[in-house]
Amino acid sequence: MRFDVIVIGAGAAGMMCAAQAGRRGRRVLIIDHSAKLGERIRISGGGRCNFTNRNVGAENYLSQNPHFCRSALARFSQRDFITMIEKRRIAYHEREHGQLFCDESAQDIIAMLKDGCDDAGVQWAMPCAVLHIERIENHEEGLRFAVATELGSFRCQSLVIATGGLAAPKIGASPFGYKIAEQFGLRVVPPKPALVPLALAPETLGPLKPLAGASLDAGTHCAGGSFRENVLITHRGLSGPAILQISSYWQMQEYGGGKKQPVEIDLLPDLDAAAWLAEHHRSKALLSNLLAERLPRRFAHEWCALFGWAKPVNELSQRELDAAAQALKGWALLPSGTLGYAKAEVTLGGVDTVELSSKTMEAKPAPGLYFIGEVVDVTGWLGGYNFQWAWSSGWVAGQVA
């Protein structure tokens, strides 16, 4: 069978692209290996889908080319997607940091995207595994690609790869998109788990065991990234939103080839710790009790014991007070790795943006071949940014594919 456009991957980016191409009068087929539509959407945001963010800009994304995402985000912005949501009359609400969620269910988003495809005449092949893809040249009909699947062979002018990354392997994540990119000569930035809990080595984790389960509002800093949210000490390492956010920056260091720097945790983000301790330098109170005014009591006591500062403030030397202030504002912990793709929200890295047009998402070495969504080396912060990249990149490809 012959189509104008074949989209492989029926996720957020794939359905957006297919619907847009179909609305232009293109004959579109969307293929997905899963029997369940939009599973990543369905399970996101605790089942309510953090579908975008009020504040979206290139600074909210990591990439080897941080400017690449600007064009797509400008041409189809968060405001454009909010307009789609409101036109559909999907109720939503805003949480901290501009995050937008459905009031009812992520299923509302999936239904909107599916109906958009159906209304545009998009045809579906799912569940359907793709066996292989070949480049062809049919100049009379403009066909460029042959896609062999378990349901038969299809040909098309434009082929869009929207197969995502490696995060959440339990619901079908695979390296399919990267393999197709390499097949057609495109460079792939090595993928890594991102927005993921960080693991600590046994020698680091051992002394921290008494802190396991402690949760606190803190700042995190690493490799140019800085976040202020919740930090959780776990029996395996570090987690919580602030850690998930900074994990992407910690991972990015590997691309530079140098030695990885530790993650620094600011335990008193609203306070000048050195000045505060100086004010209390004559206090007979235990340092842990003083800190318990600002931090969870159990954490304050165990943290002071960890450093050997379980004594009254007035018995601490100036050197110890300086060390305490420094540790409170920059508690440095060097992760041994991450908890992997099974715990990751998204994938860092992907198809190198140098190989793609920022205006169309078309592969420069392979005319007619497009890559959109998570498979591309554009990774957003936690908070709806990755869905917005899916909508934006899918929309721009759908205008031209």
Side-chain angles (χ1 to χ4, degrees):
M1 295 181 65
R2 299 171 184 174
F3 292 88
D4 297 320
V5 183
I6 292 178
V7 179
I8 302 178
M15 284 192 280
M16 174 63 86
C17 178
Q20 292 301 313
R23 288 179 62 185
R24 292 171 42 234
R26 302 284 276 169
R27 189 169 182 233
V28 183
L29 173 69
I30 190 164
I31 302 173
D32 198 286
H33 63 87
S34 175
K36 295 181 179 179
L37 184 63
E39 273 292 274
R40 283 288 293 277
I41 300 173
R42 186 187 66 78
I43 66 174
S44 67
R48 291 191 174 178
C49 188
N50 179 193
F51 56 81
T52 192
N53 195 289
R54 287 277 187 203
N55 309 297
V56 175
E59 65 274 10
N60 304 119
Y61 295 85
L62 288 82
S63 171
Q64 295 300 299
N65 176 7
H67 300 293
F68 177 83
C69 62
R70 290 184 185 277
S71 178
L73 293 173
R75 292 177 62 203
F76 188 83
S77 71
Q78 70 273 28
R79 294 175 293 279
D80 294 313
F81 193 76
I82 292 168
T83 298
M84 286 181 63
I85 292 289
E86 292 176 343
K87 185 176 180 181
R88 179 79 176 193
R89 296 183 179 178
I90 296 174
Y92 65 91
H93 60 277
E94 183 172 343
R95 299 185 191 173
E96 66 277 3
H97 310 298
Q99 302 172 78
L100 301 184
F101 290 78
C102 297
D103 281 358
E104 298 298 327
S105 169
Q107 198 63 46
D108 293 338
I109 303 288
I110 298 171
M112 178 186 74
L113 295 168
K114 184 179 187 304
D115 289 349
C117 288
D118 290 341
D119 292 346
V122 173
Q123 296 185 49
W124 302 82
M126 61 180 297
C128 177
V130 174
L131 304 177
H132 59 85
I133 296 171
E134 292 180 4
R135 181 90 195 205
I136 60 172
E137 289 296 342
N138 185 324
H139 297 288
E140 291 183 6
E141 299 182 32
L143 299 174
R144 290 168 166 164
F145 301 95
V147 181
T149 78
E150 59 186 11
L151 296 181
S153 183
F154 306 99
R155 296 188 171 200
C156 62
Q157 295 176 354
S158 298
L159 178 63
V160 182
I161 307 299
T163 50
L166 298 176
K170 285 186 178 179
I171 57 172
S174 79
F176 179 90
Y178 310 135
K179 291 179 179 178
I180 297 304
E182 290 170 345
Q183 176 186 336
F184 286 92
L186 280 70
R187 180 178 177 270
V188 174
V189 177
K192 304 179 188 302
L195 298 181
V196 61
L198 296 170
L200 295 173
E203 59 271 21
T204 304
L205 192 60
L208 300 185
K209 281 186 178 180
L211 297 174
S215 177
L216 59 153
D217 174 34
T220 55
H221 309 277
C222 185
S226 182
F227 298 92
R228 166 79 179 276
E229 286 188 76
N230 199 58
V231 169
L232 174 66
I233 313 297
T234 74
H235 68 286
R236 299 182 67 182
L238 303 171
S239 190
I243 294 298
L244 298 186
Q245 294 279 38
I246 209 66
S247 71
S248 298
Y249 287 81
W250 186 76
Q251 288 281 71
M252 278 287 285
Q253 296 179 99
E254 283 195 19
Y255 297 132
K259 185 178 179 181
K260 276 189 174 182
Q261 298 302 307
V263 169
E264 292 190 355
I265 302 175
D266 183 350
L267 298 172
L268 299 174
D270 295 323
L271 202 63
D272 181 334
W276 181 64
L277 288 175
E279 289 174 13
H280 295 84
H281 76 282
R282 291 190 176 130
S283 173
K284 294 180 181 180
L286 292 172
L287 176 60
S288 55
N289 287 337
L290 190 63
L291 285 176
E293 297 175 8
R294 305 274 181 172
L295 297 168
R297 175 165 291 275
R298 182 173 72 87
F299 179 88
H301 281 265
E302 297 292 354
W303 190 81
C304 285
L306 178 68
F307 287 96
W309 296 328
K311 51 187 174 180
V313 179
N314 64 357
E315 293 182 16
L316 291 169
S317 67
Q318 187 59 50
R319 184 175 181 179
E320 287 175 315
L321 286 171
D322 291 344
Q326 184 175 351
L328 286 165
K329 297 300 290 182
W331 183 24
L333 293 169
L334 182 62
S336 59
T338 75
L339 297 196
Y341 289 111
K343 299 293 184 182
E345 297 278 343
V346 291
T347 307
L348 193 67
V351 178
D352 196 331
T353 57
V354 170
E355 309 279 15
L356 306 175
S357 163
S358 62
K359 293 181 172 60
T360 65
M361 309 305 294
E362 185 175 23
K364 296 172 185 176
L369 180 63
Y370 300 77
F371 292 85
I372 58 175
E374 191 181 347
V375 74
V376 178
D377 176 34
V378 175
T379 305
W381 290 2
L382 192 68
Y385 299 99
N386 288 292
F387 272 125
Q388 186 57 49
W389 172 245
W391 315 136
S392 298
S393 59
W395 189 90
V396 298
Q399 307 309 305
V400 294

